[in-house]
Amino acid sequence: MPTLPVIRDAVPADAAALAAIYAPQVLTGTASYEDVAPDAAEMARRLADVQGRGLPWLVAAESGGGVVGYAYASPYRSRAAYRFTLENSIYVAAGQEGRGIGRALLRTLLHRCAVLGYRRMLAIVGDSRNSASLALHRAAGFVEVGRLPGVGVKFGEALDQILLIRDLQRDR
């Protein structure tokens, strides 16, 4: 049985790997509703923004240092009433699915956000057919609370978003 990668905080030097993991989701997948894959400089900017807010951006790194997945938390909305609610994003490199990487990243992310005092985490899953993401979040205790039909359009197809939520206080 292969060993799980180490979960650690992302560093700016990871930006190219983050961009490489995310690009196929943007260019050929429907998990992300972006149309243009961000380059390493843009991923570095996004990483700095998340970490600059005191929020975790984690990577799964193999023993040789290669990054095979990442997860981060970002504010759900900017208004003060939402200050204790976060949204998560998780991506695993192509060919690395099914190894428990997403589960390890999500588990660590949930714990870190709970320790920081956040109360709720949302998962906004793009494309209701994304069964792997839905299963991952449900296994981690997320509950589906809504569906936004046809709110995204990618590759000429109207796509739903599924909203899931999880109480972080149980992890404190």
Side-chain angles (χ1 to χ4, degrees):
M1 181 168 151
T3 21
L4 276 175
V6 172
I7 306 300
R8 63 166 173 79
D9 289 315
V11 296
D14 295 323
L18 302 175
I21 290 168
Y22 187 52
Q25 297 298 326
V26 173
L27 299 174
T28 63
T30 53
S32 168
Y33 288 3
E34 285 194 72
D35 291 328
V36 177
D39 61 13
E42 174 58 17
M43 292 304 281
R45 188 201 65 72
R46 293 178 187 190
L47 171 63
D49 179 60
V50 166
Q51 291 178 333
R53 296 171 184 270
L55 295 170
W57 188 312
L58 308 170
V59 296
E62 298 281 24
S63 59
V67 174
V68 293
Y70 68 88
Y72 64 92
S74 56
Y76 169 60
R77 299 232 172 141
S78 61
R79 293 190 177 116
Y82 300 112
R83 70 187 172 277
F84 296 108
T85 302
L86 298 170
E87 178 181 343
N88 76 62
S89 293
I90 301 174
Y91 291 94
V92 175
Q96 299 295 319
E97 304 91 343
R99 292 183 51 204
I101 295 168
R103 184 172 47 251
L105 283 164
L106 184 54
R107 182 183 313 119
T108 305
L109 186 69
L110 291 168
H111 175 73
R112 293 269 301 271
C113 292
V115 168
L116 289 170
Y118 290 94
R119 296 180 181 184
R120 302 283 183 275
M121 181 169 287
L122 292 171
I124 303 174
V125 177
D127 191 353
S128 59
R129 298 169 300 190
N130 189 342
S131 58
S133 183
L134 291 169
L136 170 68
H137 285 92
R138 288 178 179 134
F142 283 78
V143 176
E144 186 175 326
V145 292
R147 179 180 299 254
L148 303 174
V151 296
V153 176
K154 192 166 182 183
F155 308 128
E157 180 182 7
L159 301 170
D160 298 348
Q161 282 188 328
I162 306 298
L163 307 177
L164 301 104
I165 193 164
R166 186 181 187 284
D167 180 2
L168 292 174
Q169 296 302 295
R170 71 184 215 189
D171 295 315
R172 288 189 61 141

